[in-house]
Amino acid sequence: MSALVTPEDAVAAVRRKIDQKWAEAVCADLGVGDQVVFSVPLRPGVSTGKAVEQLGHAAWHEWHMHWREFSDQLPTGVKLVRKAVTIRGVAGDFPATLNADLDGAVTLIAHTRTGAEPPTVDIGRARALASALRSASAILTPATLRAVYRLRAIDVEVLVGAVTWLRQHPDASTWTLRQLPVPGMHTKWLDAHGALLRGVAGRDVRDEVRPRLTVMHLTYVDPDHAASGRRRHDAWTTSDVHDIAYRPSVVLVVENRDSRLWFPPVRDTIVVEGGGKAAAALLANVPWIRAADHVVYWGDIDADGYAILDQFRATLAEPALDGASAKPVTSILMDATDLHHYAQHGVNHDKAGRPIKPSPETLPHLTEAETIAYNTIATAGPTPFRRIEQEAIPLTHAATRLLHILKGQD
């Protein structure tokens, strides 16, 4: 801003201030926080006759006449504050600051002919959202109001309904997350908006509900076990009395059911079906997985496969809930060498024929060789292919890699 702020510049400054402080102003109108005044200095640094002389009397007079005319247009809620300046021995009151409350500021922008763009926020909608949150006894703050404002209307409805339901149900421990009878709320909604719900409700329902037990499908591939005639395929459920047939030295987590069901014999090994992106949460606290000498992951060579590996490795790098120590996770058939070796199986479209999209996600827990492969298939730029499905790689190749691990070669 120049030393003399014109009415047009002042209105534009008010608009910028609304964009910055609208949430605080809306909350203050409902008694949350201090009142917000949108204030714009009109002649910063010009408070003496000498300063006026330096600017030039013609420029000062023109500026003053503009404000005299503009002051007649000021709506309710906007005040022009004048302060005295002595010029050539004559004292007079001149515009010094433009102050506006929220209503006045919005009206000033809308109804004065300055050409200012409207605020980026619909203040009417913001007030309606704030009132809805207060009516539901939600915690209202500028931060939560901003977050709620960014939601779609249907998500706002679900959020307010969830807050109301939580207020009516102080104990959510008899439901799992999937069972919560809140209209429109499901686990994917909670994944996206759970932190916001915690902020406005003052409690985290995700920590209160009944835990969902881990159920894993697994295949015993130890040849001695197979020779015994006992069952080859099994399921294991957290906290059940059933136990696995033998304690594995190697646990291999795969993504594809066929890869698990038809995996070749490898001694002291159990193959577990991972469950996609839920693998880390499902498997991290299974005691016999943590107790294995080697935990190995094998997934698709694509953005999702590397994201699952990254999360799985990060989760097992932390101690388990029962105090079991951290466990490193090795991958097989997922590094840069494998990417090139099996390139003839690369595809660019999913099973529905849709192009596979790049991924901007950074995966800090991959090895250097895995990162090279991930960057190759996930790049936003051109790449020969974006996916090699696990099923395309012969199971005998995977078994050979596991044998190398058992022999200490990897």
Side-chain angles (χ1 to χ4, degrees), residues 112-125:
T112 54
R113 294 184 295 274
T114 62
E117 293 290 331
T120 57
V121 172
D122 181 341
I123 299 300
R125 177 173 181 261

Side-chain angles (χ1 to χ4, degrees), residues 155-240:
D155 293 324
V156 173
E157 183 179 347
V158 174
L159 180 72
V160 173
V163 173
T164 302
W165 187 90
L166 287 171
R167 188 181 70 249
Q168 297 168 348
H169 298 81
D171 181 8
S173 63
T174 58
W175 293 275
T176 67
L177 273 181
R178 290 179 178 269
Q179 294 172 332
L180 286 172
V182 179
M185 190 175 77
H186 45 77
T187 52
K188 288 186 178 180
W189 189 94
L190 274 171
D191 287 342
H193 308 298
L196 177 57
L197 177 59
R198 178 187 62 212
V200 296
R203 48 191 280 217
D204 195 336
V205 68
R206 297 169 296 182
D207 294 336
E208 300 177 17
V209 295
R210 176 184 292 169
R212 194 177 187 206
L213 301 180
T214 298
V215 180
M216 290 186 310
H217 296 281
L218 56 95
T219 295
Y220 302 115
V221 297
D222 180 82
D224 292 337
H225 175 81
S228 72
R230 299 170 64 189
R231 65 186 301 169
R232 172 173 165 80
H233 308 293
D234 208 343
W236 186 90
T237 304
T238 303
S239 76
D240 203 352

Side-chain angles (χ1 to χ4, degrees), residues 349-363:
H349 294 79
D350 64 18
K351 293 177 181 178
R354 295 169 299 205
I356 301 171
K357 297 181 179 179
S359 173
E361 188 174 1
T362 299
L363 304 179

